[in-house]
Amino acid sequence: MPNINNSYIEISPQSDACQITQAQRQVRWEIWKKLLNMNITSDEEGPDMFQIIKPRPKEEEDNWREWNTENWGCKWDISIEEFYHSEATPYKESITIVGTTPWGPPIPILTELVRLGFNVHHQFTSEAGYWGNEFFWEGEESDNW
């Protein structure tokens, strides 16, 4: 059984004044729409959130474990326990996801979100005893939320 990592992830689009390309803005918009349309129910297995953010290429299906670990930070997609969409936060519209990943936090996925123009707040704890709190606002890392 792997060590379980518990994550609280809050995601919101950065303002359009940020230094991202038009192509990145389009990808950000497409990912945002897909994340907002995720259907989460307690009776179903959650959607593949990491596949939405950074899809595994078909040619990597036989190499899934290594590809996932390198590109997502963990072997499997996040197991979503709670999902919230808020249009009235102090900052702007956001999505909050609470869930678990095996072995460690999904740092490469969060880095990809920041690269594509999302603000990310991530808090995590692990059964192995480590924890962290990361916040990226308008592309800059901060210790404050």
Side-chain angles (χ1 to χ4, degrees), residues 4-73:
I4 300 298
N5 178 77
N6 301 294
S7 284
Y8 166 96
I9 304 168
E10 188 169 347
I11 305 165
S12 65
Q14 294 178 5
S15 69
D16 284 336
C18 291
Q19 300 298 319
I20 61 173
T21 67
Q22 183 60 34
Q24 286 172 310
R25 282 190 184 93
Q26 183 62 35
V27 171
R28 179 185 64 185
W29 174 244
E30 293 298 323
I31 289 173
W32 185 248
K33 286 191 317 187
K34 288 177 183 176
L35 291 175
L36 287 174
N37 290 320
M38 288 193 312
N39 183 18
I40 309 290
T41 68
S42 59
D43 298 337
E44 298 177 12
E45 185 176 317
D48 292 335
M49 177 182 154
F50 295 170
Q51 282 281 43
I52 290 172
I53 297 166
K54 190 166 187 178
R56 182 184 335 98
K58 290 197 184 299
E59 61 270 11
E60 294 293 340
E61 288 300 318
D62 290 340
N63 189 36
W64 66 268
R65 182 181 307 201
E66 289 78 16
W67 192 94
N68 289 1
T69 302
E70 183 178 327
N71 291 276
W72 296 350

Side-chain angles (χ1 to χ4, degrees), residues 32 36 83-88 93-96:
W32 185 248
L36 287 174
F83 179 92
Y84 306 101
H85 172 227
S86 175
E87 295 184 47
E93 183 177 20
S94 67
I95 294 172
T96 302

Side-chain angles (χ1 to χ4, degrees), residues 67-112:
W67 192 94
N68 289 1
T69 302
E70 183 178 327
N71 291 276
W72 296 350
C74 49
K75 287 177 18 179
W76 306 296
D77 210 303
I78 190 168
S79 176
I80 298 173
E81 297 167 4
E82 298 176 45
F83 179 92
Y84 306 101
H85 172 227
S86 175
E87 295 184 47
T89 66
Y91 305 103
K92 58 171 65 179
E93 183 177 20
S94 67
I95 294 172
T96 302
I97 295 149
V98 179
T100 59
T101 54
W103 303 114
I107 301 301
I109 282 290
L110 304 175
T111 302
E112 180 71 3

